[in-house]
């Protein structure tokens, strides 16, 4: 037999339907041609390449284009995030109309080599999004992912920011149950398939969305398993996921991979929203390097069946292209950073006789959006903002994006306050950042009328820096628009105040450190003005926190204090289960973004926080 055994769509659907209706695609359309200018990859883009040593025979050649952690970055990223820093150079990149252009260009290049293209993602396409997407419940991002040709993606943790029901609506279509279809033309849902193999409905015991997908490439099946990280429950608002649970990545991948194998699908791709990172170095590692690589994805890959020749990963917002060992061989493992600034270009061959990958080559390509200055750099305007290149704009994607930009502009460009200088998320060795201070202070100011004395803010909820010079809305230096504020704090969490004892506050702070009371990763909460403490790196878990004080007075373990957080934390998010023990919860008007906006516009320009409230000792 010179072809892999594949029993056909009808048999597959019949046998798998008791577990879940699977999305099986009967044929792969040819890649579209593109009118974008060709560009050769810079020399530092050294692709990773694996040859699986199969006997030479007839093969089917194809291309995967992948990206991850898009986070609704419809507009080109601004400020310090405007560039990709790699191999000692900085390249302005991103923006959906440029992403579309590069996808078309890479597809066209593959077509000249006789390769058909599949475009795939690894989660967090939505959630933690700028206002242009978030104001419409991320429908603009879904519409644009349809436009740029995405075909299949895993879910990520941020796909659950508005809960399971909202994720399913975005997949299937239909107007928002509260806000309706705000753009006036309905919402048809995602044309691509979200995969959620390890997101299990507690009632049915089945995945909430398809766990696998199969594409036929010139008659040869390629299978996909897609999932989020098992730890998703600890990093999203518990209120939206109370009816599901998340299973182990390796066990889930291999279970569904075995099913694919049973049906003759032996070229398998894992789309997983978990990842790793390269070690820091000078110069910065290249976008396709794998220098000093580590992270949760390493043990995940180590446990995978060998059929998973390719693992498209995400979550860490880092770029890399690696070869890592699986159970009995090697897998190519990739990530395209974040915000649509990179695309992973993966060429592969599948052996027709065995149905397995015979070769995989992968490299990351920067989605450049700038105008070269002729000297190896990029042109900027008078305010130091990179100029955008109109020659590399995809008109169809821009048309959709402009519709939403126009709709949201009156809100996004409204100046809400002023800052004296850049305010960044860059943390001290103690884990405190100037922007973390400002946001905690804003939440305390919002709730002092309710008796609040202390505010705590999760660092993962701070999504961007404030750049005093950025002027996408035309504002003057130092002015902050609502859109910029929303980009910093985009989750629309409630601001709640509850009573905790001094002993409970200490227990909350002890829970910042991985390994204590269920905490999986170290997360240093940002604290409001007047509250101070010290933590010890060498002290035992549960005994790291000391010198707690409020306005210079030691915290009394037996006394009661009113503590403000967002409801994500108050509900036990980020592993802070101790915060659920608070009593007498009250909720401030509006959302956390409203607290920040009010603080920015309350009086004199806001200065960066002092970042001196948390101390650390060895």
């Amino acid at each position: 037999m010179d072809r892999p055994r594949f029993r056909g769509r009808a048999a597959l659907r019949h046998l798998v339907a008791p577990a879940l209706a699977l999305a099986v695609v009967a044929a792969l359309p040819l890649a579209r041609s593109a009118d974008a200018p060709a560009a050769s990859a810079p020399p530092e883009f050294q692709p990773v390449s694996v040859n699986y040593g199969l006997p030479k025979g007839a093969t089917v050649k194809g291309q995967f284009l992948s990206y991850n952690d898009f986070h609704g970055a419809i507009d080109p990223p601004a400020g310090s995030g405007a560039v990709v820093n790699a191999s000692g150079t900085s390249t302005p990149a991103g923006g959906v109309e440029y992403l579309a252009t590069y996808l078309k260009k890479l597809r066209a290049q593959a077509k000249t080599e006789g390769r058909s293209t599949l475009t795939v993602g690894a989660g967090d396409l939505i959630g933690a999004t700028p206002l242009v997407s978030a104001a419409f419940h991320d429908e603009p991002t879904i519409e644009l992912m349809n436009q740029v040709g995405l075909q299949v993606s895993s879910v990520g943790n941020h796909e659950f920011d508005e809960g399971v029901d909202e994720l399913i609506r975005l997949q299937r279509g239909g107007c928002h149950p509260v806000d309706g279809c705000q753009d006036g033309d309905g919402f048809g849902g995602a044309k691509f398939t979200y995969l959620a193999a390890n997101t299990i409905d507690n009632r049915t015991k089945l995945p909430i969305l398809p766990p696998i997908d199969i594409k036929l490439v010139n008659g040869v099946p390629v299978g996909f398993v897609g999932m989020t990280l098992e730890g998703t429950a600890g990093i999203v608002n518990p209120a939206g996921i109370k009816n599901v649970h998340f299973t182990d990545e390796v066990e889930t991948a291999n279970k569904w991979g075995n099913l694919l194998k049973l049906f003759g699908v032996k070229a398998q791709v894992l789309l997983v929203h978990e990842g790793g990172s390269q070690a820091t170095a000078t110069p910065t590692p290249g976008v396709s390097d794998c220098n000093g690589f580590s992270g949760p994805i390493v043990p995940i890959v180590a446990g995978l069946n060998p059929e998973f020749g390719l693992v498209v990963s995400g979550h860490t917002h880092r770029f890399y292209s690696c070869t890592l060992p699986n159970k009995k061989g090697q897998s190519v493992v990739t990530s395209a950073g974040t915000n649509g600034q990179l695309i992973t270009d993966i060429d592969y061959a599948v052996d027709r006789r065995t149905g397995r990958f015979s070769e995989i080559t992968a490299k990351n390509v920067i989605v450049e959006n700038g105008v070269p200055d002729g000297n190896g750099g990029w042109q900027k305007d008078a305010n130091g903002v990179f100029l955008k290149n109109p020659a590399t704009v995809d008109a169809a994607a821009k048309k959709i994006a402009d519709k939403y930009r126009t709709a949201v502009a009156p809100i996004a460009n409204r100046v809400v306050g002023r800052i004296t200088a850049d305010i960044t998320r860059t943390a001290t060795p103690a884990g405190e950042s100037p922007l973390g201070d400002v946001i905690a202070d804003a939440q305390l100011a919002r709730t002092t009328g309710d008796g609040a004395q202390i505010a705590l803010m999760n660092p993962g909820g701070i999504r961007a820096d404030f750049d005093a010079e950025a002027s996408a809305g035309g504002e003057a230096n130092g002015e902050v628009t609502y859109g910029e504020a929303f980009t910093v704090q985009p989750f629309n969490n409630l601001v709640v105040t509850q009573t905790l004892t001094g002993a409970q506050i200490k227990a909350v702070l002890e829970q910042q450190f991985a390994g204590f009371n269920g905490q999986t990763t170290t997360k240093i909460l940002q604290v409001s003005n007047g509250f101070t403490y010290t933590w010890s790196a060498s002290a035992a878990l549960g005994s790291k926190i000391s010198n707690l004080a409020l306005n210079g007075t030691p915290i009394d373990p037996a006394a009661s204090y009113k503590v403000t957080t967002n409801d994500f934390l108050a509900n036990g998010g980020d592993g802070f289960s101790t915060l659920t023990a608070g009593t007498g919860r009250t909720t401030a008007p509006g959302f956390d973004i409203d607290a920040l906006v009010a603080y920015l516009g309350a009086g004199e320009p806001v200065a960066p926080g002092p970042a001196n409230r948390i101390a650390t000792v060895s």
Side-chain angles (χ1 to χ4, degrees), residues 375-427:
N375 297 310
W378 305 90
Q379 295 183 28
K380 298 180 179 180
D381 65 17
N383 293 317
V385 177
F386 289 104
L387 296 177
K388 302 301 181 290
N389 191 346
T392 54
V393 167
D394 179 80
K398 185 177 186 298
K399 181 178 179 180
I400 296 172
D402 282 349
K403 176 181 72 171
Y404 291 106
R405 289 166 177 155
T406 299
V408 82
I411 301 171
N413 295 334
R414 176 171 59 91
V415 174
V416 297
R418 294 177 294 162
I419 55 178
T420 64
D422 295 351
I423 308 179
T424 74
R425 298 165 290 168
T426 304

Coordinates of all heavy atoms in Angstrom, one line a residue, residues 375-427:
N375 N 19.8 54.1 5.5 CA 21.0 53.9 6.3 C 20.9 52.7 7.3 O 21.6 52.7 8.3 CB 21.4 55.2 7.1 CG 21.6 56.4 6.2 OD1 22.4 56.3 5.2 ND2 20.9 57.5 6.4
G376 N 20.1 51.8 7.0 CA 19.9 50.7 7.9 C 18.9 50.9 9.0 O 18.7 50.0 9.8
G377 N 18.3 52.1 9.0 CA 17.3 52.4 10.1 C 16.0 52.7 9.5 O 15.7 52.3 8.3
W378 N 15.1 53.4 10.3 CA 13.7 53.6 9.9 C 13.4 55.1 10.1 O 13.8 55.7 11.1 CB 12.8 52.7 10.7 CG 13.2 51.3 10.6 CD1 14.1 50.6 11.4 CD2 12.8 50.3 9.6 NE1 14.3 49.3 10.9 CE2 13.5 49.1 9.8 CE3 12.0 50.4 8.5 CZ2 13.3 48.0 9.0 CZ3 11.8 49.3 7.7 CH2 12.4 48.1 8.0
Q379 N 12.6 55.6 9.2 CA 12.2 57.0 9.3 C 11.2 57.2 10.5 O 10.3 56.4 10.7 CB 11.6 57.5 8.0 CG 12.5 57.5 6.8 CD 11.9 58.0 5.6 OE1 10.9 58.8 5.6 NE2 12.4 57.6 4.4
K380 N 11.3 58.4 11.1 CA 10.4 58.8 12.2 C 9.8 60.2 11.9 O 10.4 61.0 11.2 CB 11.1 58.8 13.5 CG 11.7 57.4 14.0 CD 12.4 57.6 15.3 CE 12.9 56.2 15.8 NZ 13.6 56.3 17.1
D381 N 8.7 60.5 12.6 CA 8.2 61.8 12.4 C 8.8 62.7 13.5 O 9.7 62.4 14.2 CB 6.6 61.8 12.5 CG 6.1 61.4 13.9 OD1 6.9 61.3 14.9 OD2 4.9 61.0 14.0
A382 N 8.3 64.0 13.6 CA 8.9 65.0 14.5 C 8.8 64.6 15.9 O 9.5 65.0 16.8 CB 8.2 66.3 14.3
N383 N 7.8 63.7 16.3 CA 7.6 63.3 17.6 C 8.4 62.0 17.9 O 8.2 61.4 19.0 CB 6.1 63.1 18.0 CG 5.4 64.4 18.0 OD1 5.8 65.4 18.5 ND2 4.2 64.4 17.4
G384 N 9.1 61.5 17.0 CA 9.9 60.3 17.2 C 9.1 59.0 17.0 O 9.6 57.9 17.4
V385 N 8.0 59.1 16.3 CA 7.1 57.9 16.1 C 7.5 57.4 14.7 O 7.6 58.2 13.7 CB 5.6 58.3 16.1 CG1 4.8 57.1 15.8 CG2 5.3 58.8 17.5
F386 N 7.7 56.1 14.6 CA 8.0 55.5 13.3 C 6.9 55.7 12.3 O 5.8 55.6 12.5 CB 8.2 54.0 13.5 CG 9.4 53.6 14.2 CD1 9.3 53.1 15.5 CD2 10.7 53.6 13.6 CE1 10.5 52.8 16.2 CE2 11.8 53.3 14.3 CZ 11.7 52.8 15.6
L387 N 7.4 56.2 11.1 CA 6.5 56.3 9.9 C 6.0 55.0 9.4 O 6.8 54.0 9.5 CB 7.1 57.1 8.8 CG 7.5 58.6 9.1 CD1 8.2 59.2 7.9 CD2 6.3 59.4 9.5
K388 N 4.8 54.9 9.0 CA 4.3 53.6 8.4 C 4.4 53.6 6.9 O 4.2 54.7 6.3 CB 2.9 53.4 8.9 CG 2.7 53.4 10.4 CD 3.5 52.3 11.1 CE 3.4 52.2 12.6 NZ 4.0 53.4 13.3
N389 N 4.6 52.5 6.4 CA 4.9 52.3 4.9 C 3.6 52.0 4.2 O 3.0 50.9 4.3 CB 5.9 51.2 4.7 CG 6.4 51.2 3.3 OD1 5.8 51.8 2.4 ND2 7.4 50.4 3.1
P390 N 3.0 53.0 3.4 CA 1.8 52.7 2.7 C 1.9 51.7 1.6 O 0.9 51.1 1.2 CB 1.4 54.1 2.1 CG 2.7 54.8 2.0 CD 3.6 54.3 3.2
A391 N 3.1 51.4 1.2 CA 3.3 50.5 0.1 C 3.1 49.0 0.5 O 2.9 48.2 -0.3 CB 4.8 50.6 -0.5
T392 N 3.1 48.8 1.8 CA 2.9 47.4 2.3 C 1.6 47.2 3.1 O 1.5 46.3 3.9 CB 4.1 47.0 3.2 OG1 4.3 47.9 4.2 CG2 5.4 46.9 2.3
V393 N 0.7 48.0 2.8 CA -0.7 47.9 3.4 C -1.6 47.1 2.6 O -1.6 47.2 1.3 CB -1.3 49.3 3.6 CG1 -2.8 49.2 4.0 CG2 -0.5 50.1 4.7
D394 N -2.3 46.1 3.2 CA -3.3 45.3 2.5 C -4.6 46.1 2.6 O -5.1 46.4 3.6 CB -3.4 44.0 3.2 CG -4.5 43.1 2.5 OD1 -4.2 42.5 1.5 OD2 -5.6 43.1 3.0
A395 N -5.1 46.4 1.4 CA -6.3 47.3 1.3 C -7.5 46.7 2.0 O -8.3 47.4 2.6 CB -6.6 47.7 -0.1
A396 N -7.7 45.4 1.8 CA -8.9 44.7 2.3 C -8.9 44.7 3.8 O -10.0 45.0 4.4 CB -9.0 43.3 1.7
A397 N -7.8 44.4 4.4 CA -7.7 44.4 5.8 C -7.8 45.8 6.4 O -8.5 46.0 7.4 CB -6.4 43.7 6.3
K398 N -7.2 46.7 5.7 CA -7.3 48.1 6.2 C -8.8 48.6 6.2 O -9.2 49.4 7.1 CB -6.4 49.0 5.4 CG -6.4 50.5 5.8 CD -5.4 51.3 5.0 CE -5.2 52.7 5.6 NZ -6.5 53.4 5.6
K399 N -9.5 48.2 5.2 CA -10.9 48.7 5.1 C -11.7 48.2 6.3 O -12.5 49.0 6.9 CB -11.5 48.1 3.8 CG -13.0 48.6 3.6 CD -13.5 48.0 2.3 CE -15.0 48.5 2.1 NZ -15.5 47.9 0.8
I400 N -11.5 47.0 6.7 CA -12.2 46.5 7.9 C -11.7 47.2 9.1 O -12.5 47.6 10.0 CB -12.1 45.0 8.0 CG1 -12.7 44.3 6.8 CG2 -12.7 44.5 9.3 CD1 -12.4 42.8 6.8
A401 N -10.4 47.3 9.3 CA -9.9 47.9 10.4 C -10.3 49.4 10.5 O -10.7 49.9 11.6 CB -8.4 47.8 10.4
D402 N -10.3 50.1 9.4 CA -10.7 51.5 9.4 C -12.2 51.7 9.8 O -12.5 52.7 10.5 CB -10.5 52.1 8.0 CG -9.0 52.4 7.8 OD1 -8.2 52.4 8.7 OD2 -8.7 52.7 6.6
K403 N -13.0 50.7 9.5 CA -14.4 50.8 9.9 C -14.5 50.9 11.4 O -15.3 51.8 12.0 CB -15.2 49.6 9.4 CG -16.7 49.6 9.9 CD -17.4 48.3 9.4 CE -17.0 47.1 10.1 NZ -17.8 45.9 9.8
Y404 N -13.8 50.1 12.1 CA -13.8 50.1 13.6 C -13.0 51.2 14.2 O -13.4 51.8 15.2 CB -13.3 48.7 14.1 CG -14.3 47.6 13.8 CD1 -14.0 46.7 12.8 CD2 -15.5 47.5 14.5 CE1 -15.0 45.7 12.5 CE2 -16.4 46.5 14.1 CZ -16.1 45.6 13.2 OH -17.1 44.6 12.9
R405 N -11.9 51.6 13.5 CA -11.1 52.7 14.0 C -12.0 54.0 14.0 O -12.0 54.8 14.9 CB -9.9 52.9 13.1 CG -8.8 51.9 13.3 CD -7.8 51.9 12.2 NE -6.7 51.0 12.4 CZ -6.0 50.4 11.4 NH1 -6.2 50.8 10.1 NH2 -5.0 49.6 11.7
T406 N -12.7 54.2 12.9 CA -13.6 55.4 12.8 C -14.7 55.3 13.8 O -15.0 56.4 14.5 CB -14.2 55.4 11.4 OG1 -13.2 55.5 10.4 CG2 -15.2 56.6 11.2
A407 N -15.3 54.1 14.1 CA -16.3 54.0 15.1 C -15.9 54.3 16.5 O -16.6 54.9 17.3 CB -17.0 52.7 15.0
V408 N -14.7 53.9 16.8 CA -14.2 54.1 18.2 C -13.4 55.4 18.4 O -13.1 55.7 19.5 CB -13.4 52.8 18.6 CG1 -11.9 53.0 18.1 CG2 -13.4 52.6 20.1
A409 N -13.0 56.1 17.3 CA -12.1 57.2 17.4 C -12.6 58.3 18.4 O -11.8 58.8 19.2 CB -11.8 57.8 16.1
P410 N -13.9 58.7 18.4 CA -14.3 59.7 19.4 C -14.0 59.4 20.8 O -13.8 60.2 21.7 CB -15.8 59.9 19.1 CG -15.9 59.4 17.7 CD -15.0 58.3 17.5
I411 N -14.1 58.1 21.1 CA -13.9 57.6 22.5 C -12.4 57.4 22.7 O -11.8 57.9 23.7 CB -14.6 56.3 22.8 CG1 -16.1 56.4 22.6 CG2 -14.3 55.8 24.2 CD1 -16.8 55.1 22.6
A412 N -11.7 56.8 21.8 CA -10.3 56.4 22.0 C -9.4 57.7 22.0 O -8.4 57.7 22.8 CB -9.8 55.5 20.8
N413 N -9.7 58.7 21.2 CA -8.8 59.9 21.1 C -9.1 61.0 22.2 O -8.5 62.0 22.1 CB -8.9 60.4 19.7 CG -8.3 59.5 18.7 OD1 -7.5 58.6 19.0 ND2 -8.7 59.6 17.5
R414 N -10.1 60.7 23.0 CA -10.4 61.7 24.0 C -9.3 61.8 25.1 O -8.9 60.8 25.7 CB -11.8 61.4 24.7 CG -12.2 62.3 25.9 CD -13.6 62.0 26.3 NE -13.8 60.6 26.8 CZ -13.6 60.2 28.0 NH1 -13.2 61.1 29.0 NH2 -13.8 59.0 28.4
V415 N -8.8 63.0 25.3 CA -7.7 63.1 26.3 C -8.3 63.1 27.7 O -9.3 63.8 28.0 CB -6.9 64.5 26.1 CG1 -5.9 64.7 27.2 CG2 -6.2 64.5 24.7
V416 N -7.8 62.2 28.5 CA -8.3 62.0 29.9 C -7.4 62.4 31.0 O -7.9 62.5 32.1 CB -8.7 60.5 30.1 CG1 -9.8 60.1 29.1 CG2 -7.5 59.6 30.0
G417 N -6.2 62.7 30.7 CA -5.3 63.2 31.7 C -3.9 63.4 31.2 O -3.7 63.4 30.0
R418 N -3.0 63.7 32.1 CA -1.6 64.0 31.7 C -0.6 63.2 32.6 O -0.9 62.9 33.8 CB -1.3 65.5 31.8 CG -2.1 66.3 30.8 CD -1.9 67.8 31.0 NE -2.4 68.2 32.3 CZ -2.0 69.4 33.0 NH1 -1.1 70.2 32.4 NH2 -2.5 69.7 34.1
I419 N 0.6 62.9 32.0 CA 1.7 62.3 32.8 C 2.9 63.2 32.6 O 3.1 63.9 31.6 CB 1.9 60.9 32.4 CG1 2.2 60.8 30.9 CG2 0.7 60.0 32.7 CD1 2.5 59.4 30.4
T420 N 3.8 63.1 33.6 CA 5.0 63.9 33.5 C 6.1 63.3 32.7 O 7.0 64.0 32.2 CB 5.6 64.2 34.9 OG1 5.9 63.0 35.5 CG2 4.5 64.9 35.8
A421 N 6.1 62.0 32.6 CA 7.1 61.2 31.9 C 6.6 59.8 31.6 O 5.5 59.5 32.0 CB 8.4 61.1 32.8
D422 N 7.3 59.0 30.8 CA 7.0 57.7 30.6 C 6.7 57.0 31.9 O 7.5 57.2 32.9 CB 8.0 56.9 29.8 CG 8.3 57.4 28.4 OD1 7.4 58.3 28.0 OD2 9.2 57.0 27.8
I423 N 5.7 56.1 32.0 CA 5.5 55.3 33.2 C 5.4 53.9 32.8 O 4.5 53.5 32.0 CB 4.1 55.7 33.9 CG1 4.1 57.2 34.1 CG2 4.0 55.0 35.2 CD1 2.8 57.7 34.8
T424 N 6.4 53.1 33.2 CA 6.6 51.8 32.7 C 6.2 50.7 33.7 O 6.1 50.9 34.9 CB 8.1 51.6 32.3 OG1 8.9 51.4 33.4 CG2 8.5 52.8 31.5
R425 N 6.1 49.5 33.1 CA 5.9 48.2 33.9 C 7.2 47.6 34.3 O 7.2 46.5 35.0 CB 5.2 47.2 33.0 CG 3.8 47.6 32.6 CD 3.3 46.7 31.4 NE 4.1 46.9 30.2 CZ 4.1 46.1 29.2 NH1 3.3 45.0 29.2 NH2 4.8 46.3 28.1
T426 N 8.3 48.2 34.0 CA 9.6 47.6 34.4 C 9.8 47.5 35.9 O 9.7 48.5 36.6 CB 10.8 48.5 33.8 OG1 10.6 48.6 32.4 CG2 12.1 47.8 34.1
A427 N 10.0 46.3 36.4 CA 10.0 46.1 37.8 C 11.4 46.2 38.4 O 12.4 45.9 37.8 CB 9.4 44.7 38.1

